[in-house]
Amino acid sequence: MTETIAEAWPEPPLAGTEAEAVIGALERQRATLAWKCSGLDAEGMQATVGASTVTLGGLLKHLAHVEDSHFARLWLAAPVGAPWDAVDWESDPDWDYRSAAQDTPEQLLALWRESVARSRAVVDGALSTGGLEQLGAYATRSGEHPNLRRILLDLVEEYARHAGHADLIRESVDGLTGEDPEM
């Protein structure tokens, strides 16, 4: 293992706007994942707990895909880019989890951070022209469009769900527990 690096801990505003609160909650979940995955070598990134095959590396790669696909597909109604566009998801639906074992911790963290940066840029652009009620370009079969609020809340939910997995896996690797590296 290498040293665990704690970045500045984002805290949603206590009395901010709705957009600030939602984005603050998402940033806190992203920081939790980054903290749980920081400072690990390849063995730590590939550790599992019990019968589960989920790894921290797999979670990072999966959430990088979720970041890219949610905004490309739901907000922009555009195809998702590389490396996701080269995957046959129908024949290998767990490609992101499975293929993470072939990547170094540095590659996984870089992939995830780049995906997060793209998401932040899309959200910043969207909020510069309106609020969370703006509708994404994607349309369901019935013609409904998700608004930015729904897309962001779905990401908060996805991260929160996987933060629990990350807690268990990281504790099994080196005993690291908690939510906030400042505590």
Side-chain angles (χ1 to χ4, degrees), residues 10-31 67 70-71 119-120 123-124 127 131-133 147-160:
E11 187 61 34
L14 291 176
T17 66
E18 181 185 15
E20 290 168 340
V22 171
I23 291 168
L26 178 56
E27 291 299 338
R28 183 171 45 193
Q29 292 300 320
R30 285 172 172 157
E67 291 272 1
H70 265 56
F71 288 106
S119 294
R120 286 178 178 140
V123 172
D124 288 347
L127 290 176
L132 296 178
E133 67 284 346
N147 63 23
L148 186 56
R149 176 185 301 104
R150 171 62 188 264
I151 295 167
L152 288 167
L153 289 173
D154 282 354
L155 280 174
V156 171
E157 180 183 359
E158 185 79 4
Y159 271 95

Side-chain angles (χ1 to χ4, degrees), residues 2 25 47 49-50 52-53 69 74 119 125 129 133 135 140 156 168 173:
T2 57
V49 175
S52 175
T53 60
S69 66
L74 299 174
S119 294
T129 64
E133 67 284 346
L135 298 179
T140 65
V156 171
L168 293 172
V173 171

Side-chain angles (χ1 to χ4, degrees), residues 80-94:
V80 69
W84 323 114
D85 59 348
V87 177
D88 180 357
W89 292 100
E90 286 194 31
S91 68
D92 196 357
D94 292 329

Side-chain angles (χ1 to χ4, degrees), residues 24-109:
L26 178 56
E27 291 299 338
R28 183 171 45 193
Q29 292 300 320
R30 285 172 172 157
T32 298
L33 180 75
W35 181 51
K36 294 297 178 173
C37 295
S38 70
L40 292 175
D41 58 16
E43 183 179 343
M45 282 290 207
Q46 297 309 314
T48 61
V49 175
S52 175
T53 60
V54 174
T55 65
L56 291 172
L59 287 174
L60 273 175
K61 199 162 192 177
H62 169 71
L63 287 164
H65 177 238
V66 169
E67 291 272 1
D68 281 336
S69 66
H70 265 56
F71 288 106
R73 190 173 55 83
L74 299 174
W75 185 252
L76 303 171
V80 69
W84 323 114
D85 59 348
V87 177
D88 180 357
W89 292 100
E90 286 194 31
S91 68
D92 196 357
D94 292 329
W95 178 85
D96 44 359
Y97 286 104
R98 185 188 51 70
S99 67
Q102 301 161 15
D103 302 320
T104 67
E106 295 78 19
Q107 289 170 321
L108 292 164
L109 285 163

